[in-house]
Amino acid sequence: MDHQQLVKLSKRMSKALRHDPARVGLTLDAGGWVPVDQFLTAMGITRTDLDEVVAGNDKQRYAVRTGPGGVERIRANQGHSVPVDLGLTPQEPPEVLFHGTGAAALPSIQATGLNRGGRHHVHLSPDTATARRVGTRRGGAVAVLTVLAGQMARAGHVFYVSGNGVWLTDEVPPEFIRL
Ligand code: HQG
């Protein structure tokens, strides 16, 4: 597959594993896993295609692991809108984390903080370059916010880190955001 085909297939896989498994006839288990053989059939792809997307993925969006009974399974590392329990354990965050977004969203973010929207968590990046890449997806001017994660943790907010290094938390109130 060329790069464009890889991205296209990865988006289709994300849709099935994060947002709409029923549309392709799949049911995720409580942890978000689905057997690889079922997934290949549902997507109409080969194991080679799957391995190419999983291994070549710029953000390590997928995990393939052997589960109970030696059955190989796949899940998305993060980003779900369907209810799944990723089984993540709370982690102590670094003192600051970053969030990349569109500049147009700033007034609203300053008023209400960062909300998780349709996803399970607010997604935060460990460095500004990653945050900038996330914000660039929105088109238009990018804003990179600094989140006072250490202060948040000391105030009782819980943080998780996904299998691919994305920091997750329920919400970021405006007082913990610096422009
Ligand atoms: C914004 C991608 C106005 C928030 C990325 C963001 C990430 C507000 C958008 C992952 C707001 C939600 C997640 C408020 C938050 N007012 N706008 N109060 N609070 N927002 O896509 O963080 O490619 O759900 O700033 O790389 O952009 O899918 O979240 O712009 O890791 O693997 O609402 O998605 O990963 O957008 O991105 P999203 P996100 P994947």
Side-chain angles (χ1 to χ4, degrees):
M1 274 184 282
D2 64 25
H3 180 70
Q4 210 182 339
Q5 287 170 314
L6 274 178
V7 170
K8 200 169 161 204
L9 176 54
S10 179
K11 287 193 173 173
R12 212 151 63 76
M13 286 172 47
S14 273
K15 180 146 199 233
L17 292 171
R18 292 170 170 178
H19 307 301
D20 200 0
R23 186 152 176 265
V24 289
L26 289 173
T27 307
L28 310 183
D29 79 1
W33 298 100
V34 61
V36 167
D37 56 354
Q38 279 180 29
F39 187 67
L40 297 178
T41 307
M43 294 276 103
I45 60 171
T46 66
R47 180 62 199 247
T48 311
D49 297 333
L50 180 91
D51 288 344
E52 230 184 304
V53 172
V54 172
N57 204 258
D58 54 342
K59 283 187 59 191
Q60 301 290 310
R61 288 184 179 82
Y62 312 101
V64 176
R65 299 276 182 280
T66 304
V71 177
E72 255 200 315
R73 309 177 301 169
I74 183 168
R75 80 173 178 187
N77 273 324
Q78 37 73 219
H80 301 80
S81 57
V82 293
V84 297
D85 178 2
L86 294 175
L88 302 174
T89 38
Q91 302 275 330
E92 193 182 321
E95 205 47 43
V96 292
L97 286 166
F98 303 94
H99 181 85
T101 188
L106 287 183
S108 162
I109 291 172
Q110 281 177 292
T112 65
L114 288 168
N115 311 317
R116 60 202 171 94
R119 304 209 193 224
H120 286 191
H121 297 100
V122 172
H123 288 224
L124 301 171
S125 308
D127 57 80
T128 55
T130 307
R132 187 160 295 281
R133 269 198 301 280
V134 173
T136 305
R137 289 158 54 246
R138 310 257 137 231
V142 178
V144 174
L145 311 176
T146 300
V147 171
L148 305 178
Q151 285 187 28
M152 279 181 68
R154 290 188 288 278
H157 289 264
V158 178
F159 288 79
Y160 304 91
V161 61
S162 73
N164 60 339
V166 177
W167 283 88
L168 306 168
T169 194
D170 285 347
E171 53 156 353
V172 181
E175 62 267 30
F176 297 108
I177 298 172
R178 295 292 178 271
L179 294 186

